Amino acid sequence: MNNILSKISKIRVSVSSSTCRSLSLSATQNKNYSCKLLVVGGGSGGCTVAAKFTKRLKKDSVIVLEPSSTHYYQPLFTLVGAGVKPVSATCRSEKSVLPLAATWIQDAAESIDARKCYVKTVKGDVINYEYIVIAVGLNNDYCKVPGLSEALKDENSGVSTIFDPAYCEKTWRDMRRFQGGDAVFTYPNSPIKCPGAPQKIAYLADSYFTKANVRSKANIVYNTCLPVIFGVKKYADALLKVVERKNIKVNYQTVLKEVRPAEKEAVFYNTADPNKEFTMSYSMLHATPPMCTPEFLRNSPNMTDAAGYLTVDKYTLQHTKYPNVYGLGDCTTTPNSKTAAAVAKQSYVLEQNLLNTMKKDEPKEQYNGYGACPLVTSYNTCIIAEFLYDGVPRETLPINQARESRLAYYMKRDLFPFLYWNFMLKGNYNGPEFVRKIINPFGNDIFFLRFNYDIYVDRKVDCKKVKLLM
């Protein structure tokens, strides 16, 4: 009996010792980092800010926390969905786009303690910082729409989305397979990145169906949660003409609630009366999923609003509670259109203001809400919407950009990706303001000039021999 008890005791000691060694080894594997500036997120905003500050600060002062090994230029996903580009044309390795002088930690944030100035990662590492920039973007929240994730994974479901690199080429395959019936496109009841994309892919589908000689058999429907087709009236008026010409049915305040892939049916509700539901059949369904901020932000109520968005001053981009915290891009509360063009402008404002904060000065630079949305309307035409806060147009070219043009399309397809990869991500592009000052110095609201004493503008100026019209 004593021998048995002795053996059991030895086993317990052995197990206990083994467990302790395991725990000790796990603890020693967790790392503790410190830096001047921590950039959380290696997307458009994070890469751009990291590039700017590695030029400003000493070597090894900047850490970038980003889990993905691939960086995507997401504005091209629309053209991937229409067969213009392969998804491979939209991506590069994360390592190749991050600045060499930055330290890249390939991990994600699990929690943040803004009071104690540290971030804990999913792998258990701790990153201490003096200053932090949060640029983590938005995640697709497929679970909000029952049946959507299942349908996307089914190659033959007829359901796709251009908001995910895993599925945007499926949109193109669905277009080619389409032989007629209802083609339904949706806009969710949540903030999304690139708000123009849900209708752009509908316009391209119309163009492709026409080319494939199936447009007469197609009923194209655009269901949007919004009460208008676009948030800026100047461009909304132009887009209403586009949908009328293309015979696209638009249902406002209409939200996708459920997808039934087996029946090829989609359930919708009206935002004015959520209890009022109706079902639509589809041959093709392009679903824009609801979106949300990453979980660590949603679990940080002292830093976010009720929806989980980082609360920053909409002009300075500084956090409303913690002065050493800044944010930019899709994950913040700034009431602007969530686009890459907005990030270009925001990155400059943030750079100047954070440098001031590092010098113990007040932030002085102000973000004016600038955003841009190239609204592709066919395989060779596009409207370039540019605007500030409150929907005020702010156009770069000395033409009416609400008109569809070939030039705008090729800018969208070729010029903007070139600027993104070669200038913006390297910290050398702050938006088109410098171009605007050169080629459109009088502002975006000049419609035409008549040199026989008449200049037509939408604001008053003091000038001799100039007739002013409002």
Side-chain angles (χ1 to χ4, degrees):
M1 185 68 175
N2 289 335
N3 288 338
I4 294 173
L5 291 174
S6 176
K7 288 180 180 179
I8 292 174
S9 177
K10 288 179 180 179
I11 290 171
R12 285 177 176 170
V13 170
S14 176
V15 170
S16 176
S17 176
S18 175
T19 303
C20 288
R21 284 198 302 271
S22 177
L23 290 173
S24 175
L25 181 61
S26 176
T28 57
Q29 285 178 336
N30 290 338
K31 298 177 182 178
N32 196 299
Y33 300 90
S34 294
C35 61
K36 179 84 168 179
L37 174 63
L38 172 60
V39 179
V40 185
S44 301
C47 277
T48 302
V49 167
K52 287 179 177 294
F53 277 90
T54 51
K55 299 173 185 177
R56 298 277 194 171
L57 305 176
K58 295 178 182 178
K59 192 172 185 285
D60 298 324
S61 295
V62 178
I63 289 178
V64 178
L65 182 64
E66 168 57 47
S68 178
S69 59
T70 305
H71 184 106
Y72 289 95
Y73 176 60
Q74 297 183 52
L76 268 186
F77 285 176
T78 305
L79 296 184
V80 173
V84 177
K85 299 273 187 178
V87 73
S88 59
T90 70
C91 63
R92 296 185 183 180
S93 71
E94 185 69 24
K95 182 179 179 181
S96 71
V97 297
L98 286 172
L100 292 174
T103 300
W104 175 28
I105 298 178
Q106 193 171 359
D107 198 352
E110 182 177 76
S111 63
I112 179 170
D113 190 325
R115 188 174 60 85
K116 295 182 180 179
C117 299
Y118 73 84
V119 167
K120 185 177 180 182
T121 74
V122 171
K123 294 179 182 176
D125 296 338
V126 173
I127 308 173
N128 302 282
Y129 62 82
E130 291 183 47
Y131 304 91
I132 185 170
V133 172
I134 299 177
V136 290
L138 294 175
N139 294 336
N140 293 337
D141 195 0
Y142 295 117
C143 295
K144 289 281 180 65
V145 182
L148 178 55
S149 183
E150 173 192 348
L152 288 170
K153 293 173 184 176
D154 181 356
E155 178 61 30
N156 299 310
S157 66
V159 180
S160 65
T161 183
I162 57 169
F163 285 89
D164 190 323
Y167 302 119
C168 51
E169 286 187 327
K170 188 180 184 218
T171 303
W172 174 230
R173 293 194 294 272
D174 285 349
M175 274 193 200
R176 286 182 294 170
R177 281 193 287 253
F178 184 85
Q179 294 299 313
D182 295 316
V184 183
F185 299 80
T186 74
Y187 188 119
N189 194 18
S190 78
I192 65 169
K193 45 194 169 187
C194 194
Q199 61 185 287
K200 287 189 274 190
I201 193 63
Y203 302 147
L204 287 165
D206 163 82
S207 295
Y208 178 74
F209 295 160
T210 300
K211 181 181 178 181
N213 295 318
V214 296
R215 183 61 181 92
S216 61
K217 303 174 186 176
N219 176 38
I220 301 179
V221 180
Y222 177 52
N223 290 341
T224 173
C225 77
L226 303 173
V228 293
I229 196 166
F230 197 75
V232 181
K233 187 179 184 304
K234 176 178 182 178
Y235 306 111
D237 291 344
L239 292 169
L240 287 174
K241 294 177 182 177
V242 172
V243 296
E244 182 180 6
R245 184 182 76 240
K246 289 176 173 286
N247 192 26
I248 296 174
K249 169 70 173 174
V250 181
N251 294 319
Y252 299 103
Q253 298 179 292
T254 302
V255 181
L256 179 65
K257 182 178 182 179
E258 182 184 356
V259 179
R260 298 169 181 166
E263 295 84 10
K264 286 210 165 185
E265 292 179 345
V267 180
F268 294 87
Y269 70 87
N270 190 281
T271 57
D273 183 5
N275 294 320
K276 184 180 178 182
E277 297 180 4
F278 65 95
T279 302
M280 294 182 67
S281 61
Y282 62 83
S283 297
M284 174 182 172
L285 173 64
H286 177 272
T288 302
M291 298 180 193
C292 62
T293 56
E295 188 176 6
F296 87 93
L297 265 188
R298 301 198 308 273
N299 291 338
S300 305
N302 61 323
M303 299 188 70
T304 62
D305 65 3
Y309 287 78
L310 186 73
T311 51
V312 298
D313 182 277
K314 74 175 191 176
Y315 298 113
T316 66
L317 307 179
Q318 186 180 44
H319 194 268
T320 54
K321 185 176 180 180
Y322 301 102
N324 65 332
V325 177
Y326 279 80
L328 80 164
D330 302 347
C331 68
T332 72
T333 54
T334 53
N336 63 287
S337 183
K338 309 299 185 183
T339 65
V343 168
K345 177 66 175 178
Q346 288 178 350
S347 67
Y348 172 76
V349 173
L350 187 151
E351 176 191 19
Q352 300 305 310
N353 287 340
L354 180 50
L355 286 171
N356 275 354
T357 299
M358 289 177 174
K359 298 172 186 175
K360 311 305 178 187
D361 290 337
E362 291 297 314
K364 296 179 178 65
E365 198 71 32
Q366 293 204 335
Y367 172 56
N368 57 10
Y370 175 78
C373 185
L375 294 149
V376 179
T377 55
S378 76
Y379 281 94
N380 58 14
T381 57
C382 180
I383 290 170
I384 299 185
E386 288 185 284
F387 43 88
L388 310 179
Y389 281 139
D390 301 319
V392 179
R394 177 71 166 171
E395 296 180 347
T396 299
L397 302 176
I399 60 174
N400 179 9
Q401 291 179 196
R403 293 178 180 173
E404 298 171 80
S405 75
R406 288 178 179 268
L407 172 64
Y409 175 80
Y410 291 114
M411 289 173 68
K412 158 71 176 175
R413 194 190 71 178
D414 302 314
L415 175 61
F416 296 158
F418 176 82
L419 291 174
Y420 182 81
W421 295 118
N422 296 286
F423 292 91
M424 180 172 158
L425 292 188
K426 299 180 188 300
N428 298 324
Y429 181 71
N430 303 318
E433 191 66 33
F434 74 99
V435 177
R436 185 180 299 115
K437 289 178 180 178
I438 297 170
I439 67 173
N440 193 10
F442 297 105
N444 65 298
D445 297 320
I446 293 181
F447 294 110
F448 53 87
L449 301 178
R450 259 194 0 214
F451 291 102
N452 56 342
Y453 309 126
D454 292 336
I455 297 179
Y456 291 84
V457 295
D458 76 343
R459 62 185 184 277
K460 294 180 179 179
V461 296
D462 184 14
C463 185
K464 292 180 180 181
K465 296 183 179 180
V466 173
K467 181 178 179 182
L468 303 171
L469 296 183
M470 296 296 292

